[in-house]
Amino acid sequence: MQAGIFKVCLVVVTAIVNHPLLFPNNKTAVPANDDLIVEKLREREENLKKEQLELERLLSGQKEPAEDNPKTESKEPEGGSGWDLWSTVSMVIFLMIEVWRQDYKDNNSQEQSKEEDDLLFIGNNCHGVSLPNKPMLTIFHDQYIRASTHDAVRSREFVEGFADDLLEALRSVCNRDTDMEVEDSICIGSMYENWRVNRPLICDLLVPFAPPEPYHFRCHPWVSDPSIGPDKQNYGTIQVCGPDDGPSNCVCDRKRLGEDMLCLLHNPINNKKVTKDLNLLCLRNTNYLDIDQVMKWFQTAVTKAWGKISHKYEFELTFSHLDSPGALRVKFKSGKVISFNISPVVQYEDTDLYFISHFPSTPRGVSSSIYWMLSFAVYERRFLKDFAKKLPENSCHLSCLQIMTFLHSKQCHITGPSGLTTYHLKTILMHLLLRRPYSDWGAVMLEERLRDMFKSLEKSLLEKKLYHFMVGNGKLPETVNLPEHFREAEPVNIFRSFVLNRDLYQKTLSMFYEMLKNATVVINEYSLHLPNGHSNKMH
């Protein structure tokens, strides 16, 4: 009996020591001695079966000798039965351990296989994909991209002139004492960086707005806030602050005025009206600026402004998207259409950083209506403009980006949109500009630099890591004049969504390799059908 209990205790201790959760095997491979253990267990099982058969034979066929010598026989069956009982218990425990271990190993291997699925396409890397050769790329660039660039210049000139007129009308229909103050528009994006080729040619403009005095906006960017998750570091909030929330900079010093004196700046009647209007733009029961309310206000203001000047123009102005009130569409009597985006933004202090609801070409990234996205578009345009002065004449850097965005657009039409955007492609180019010498960007290096961009994008996709070009980039030139607070911040991974969303990542990776595979065919087809730089496919 004591021996049996000792055996059970020994088995339990062995089970605990060998349990995979206590000492996990990181390699998830079967240890070398596992096969030996399993073989011994099988031998033990066979021996137990033989002993059980022998015991049954003795109990059924040899009862009489047991009566002749009851003392001796009683000990043997008792001992044999005890041995058989404890052996069976031991066997069951060992089998349970083995089944448990196998289940754990299978589950662990399944988890590992899921991670390996992320690299499902790693064998189809761009080193083995033939991109269009240099002559074909040159033909395509001359016939398609240059023709689109010429059209872009005329579209920009029209949009800038019309936007100025529309905003001036908007100011005239607003009450200067109680309504928002709207500033001049700021041109940003691919159309003003000279690399947009996809139709329609859309101009993007930012329109800063601010509350009337003595109210002001207080912006809180989350770039370097350790309490904010990595998926929200490119966002922030905007508080609406009144005269009592900070220094008013008023020379009258309200607290020392007599009863018969009135400060026009702090007129309680006007302040009451301003407070009511500002509350309508905030999230209910808070002083945080609400994106949805701001969009409603801006759409109403644009509608009133157009009503005042529409008689001067012989075209129709409509909203392109209901969820983007600044997305406008001009349609001439000839049928020609010009689209552009006017996005209301809030300036961050005295910098060229702006808080925007979302970029018109991409959906809103977060669910809350008080989370505003930081836009570095002005700094990015400044970087590309200043860097181009150091590159060889007719450098190929924008041509690479144009070809890449063209292929991306055509592939999205085939397979549908994914998590990859033109902003990611632009980020890849800007990082590559800082890594390669200026002389590597000559016009004759178009094919090599285009391949470099594809390789860099593939590496970033496989690693699920692409850092924001501005935030935390110590290599950023001083001429960009980015505030030190953002230059010294921790880098922000703009591919973070691929870490959080496995399905989106698989779809994006699949789309990328399809784009690579179809690159030569697509460019050859467009080049052959564009002998004079014109094609119906462009429209």
Side-chain angles (χ1 to χ4, degrees), residues 193-194 380-398 433-434 437-439 441-442 477 479-480:
E193 294 166 351
N194 299 315
E380 291 164 357
R381 181 184 178 184
R382 184 181 302 160
F383 166 78
L384 290 174
K385 182 179 179 180
D386 293 345
F387 206 87
K389 299 176 181 178
K390 305 174 184 179
L391 298 178
E393 187 177 0
N394 298 323
S395 61
C396 66
H397 67 296
L398 293 182
L433 284 173
L434 292 182
Y438 301 137
S439 58
W441 295 96
T479 55
V480 176

Side-chain angles (χ1 to χ4, degrees), residues 18-162:
N18 288 279
H19 189 261
L21 294 177
L22 185 62
F23 296 102
N25 189 349
N26 294 330
K27 296 181 179 180
T28 66
V30 180
N33 61 344
D34 274 8
D35 294 335
L36 181 61
I37 293 175
V38 174
E39 186 64 28
K40 287 184 178 180
L41 286 173
R42 289 174 179 170
E43 293 179 359
R44 183 64 177 168
E45 184 180 4
E46 293 177 358
N47 291 335
L48 286 173
K49 289 181 179 179
K50 291 179 181 179
E51 291 179 4
Q52 184 178 3
L53 292 174
E54 182 66 21
L55 180 61
E56 291 176 354
R57 187 181 65 81
L58 292 174
L59 291 175
S60 61
Q62 296 186 5
K63 291 183 180 180
E64 293 181 357
E67 293 176 358
D68 294 338
N69 192 3
K71 194 172 185 178
T72 307
E73 287 296 327
S74 63
K75 288 183 180 180
E76 288 182 1
E78 183 181 355
S81 177
W83 170 258
D84 181 64
L85 175 63
W86 297 118
S87 299
T88 303
V89 171
S90 302
M91 180 63 189
V92 170
I93 293 176
F94 269 115
L95 288 175
M96 289 176 63
I97 294 172
E98 177 63 17
V99 171
W100 199 355
R101 186 187 65 80
Q102 291 292 339
D103 288 343
Y104 176 80
K105 184 181 72 174
D106 293 341
N107 292 335
N108 209 22
S109 63
Q110 289 177 4
E111 293 295 329
Q112 186 181 16
S113 65
K114 289 180 181 179
E115 292 297 327
E116 290 175 351
D117 285 344
D118 290 345
L119 303 181
L120 179 64
F121 303 97
I122 196 168
N124 300 328
N125 57 65
C126 58
H127 297 275
V129 176
S130 59
L131 293 175
N133 56 35
K134 190 175 300 181
M136 186 59 66
L137 286 175
T138 303
I139 294 173
F140 171 73
H141 182 269
D142 291 342
Q143 294 181 348
Y144 186 90
I145 292 179
R146 286 187 178 177
S148 299
T149 304
H150 179 68
D151 293 340
V153 174
R154 292 181 296 178
S155 297
R156 289 200 304 260
E157 292 175 351
F158 167 79
V159 169
E160 290 178 32
F162 177 66

Side-chain angles (χ1 to χ4, degrees), residues 311-476:
H311 64 279
K312 297 167 48 178
Y313 297 96
E314 296 182 354
F315 55 73
E316 297 179 359
L317 179 68
T318 57
F319 294 99
S320 300
H321 306 287
L322 294 178
D323 57 341
S324 299
L328 302 176
R329 182 173 180 266
V330 172
K331 184 177 181 180
F332 296 90
K333 290 183 177 180
S334 62
K336 183 178 180 180
V337 174
I338 294 180
S339 300
F340 61 99
N341 297 310
I342 299 183
S343 301
V345 297
V346 174
Q347 184 179 14
Y348 174 65
E349 297 180 351
D350 294 327
T351 70
D352 289 321
L353 282 171
Y354 295 91
F355 281 86
I356 187 172
S357 61
H358 68 284
F359 293 105
S361 58
T362 58
R364 191 183 300 177
V366 292
S367 57
S368 178
S369 60
I370 64 172
Y371 295 166
W372 294 73
M373 178 181 290
L374 267 175
S375 172
F376 294 80
V378 176
Y379 291 103
E380 291 164 357
R381 181 184 178 184
R382 184 181 302 160
F383 166 78
L384 290 174
K385 182 179 179 180
D386 293 345
F387 206 87
K389 299 176 181 178
K390 305 174 184 179
L391 298 178
E393 187 177 0
N394 298 323
S395 61
C396 66
H397 67 296
L398 293 182
S399 300
C400 291
L401 183 56
Q402 288 172 317
I403 294 173
M404 208 167 183
T405 54
F406 170 81
L407 295 173
H408 172 260
S409 173
K410 298 308 173 186
Q411 190 60 47
C412 287
H413 289 160
I414 299 173
T415 59
S418 65
L420 191 65
T421 67
T422 54
Y423 184 74
H424 296 143
L425 305 182
K426 175 182 170 182
T427 302
I428 290 288
L429 172 67
M430 291 190 293
H431 280 298
L432 200 60
L433 284 173
L434 292 182
R435 289 202 296 264
R436 301 203 67 94
Y438 301 137
S439 58
D440 285 357
W441 295 96
V444 295
M445 304 297 290
L446 176 61
E447 182 182 1
E448 289 80 1
R449 298 294 79 80
L450 181 62
R451 185 175 294 276
D452 287 343
M453 284 190 65
F454 274 113
K455 290 179 182 178
S456 182
L457 177 57
E458 180 190 39
K459 182 176 182 295
S460 297
L461 284 172
L462 295 177
E463 295 177 352
K464 302 179 186 177
K465 186 181 297 183
L466 176 60
Y467 288 124
H468 196 285
F469 182 71
M470 293 290 170
V471 180
N473 187 356
K475 298 180 180 179
L476 199 65

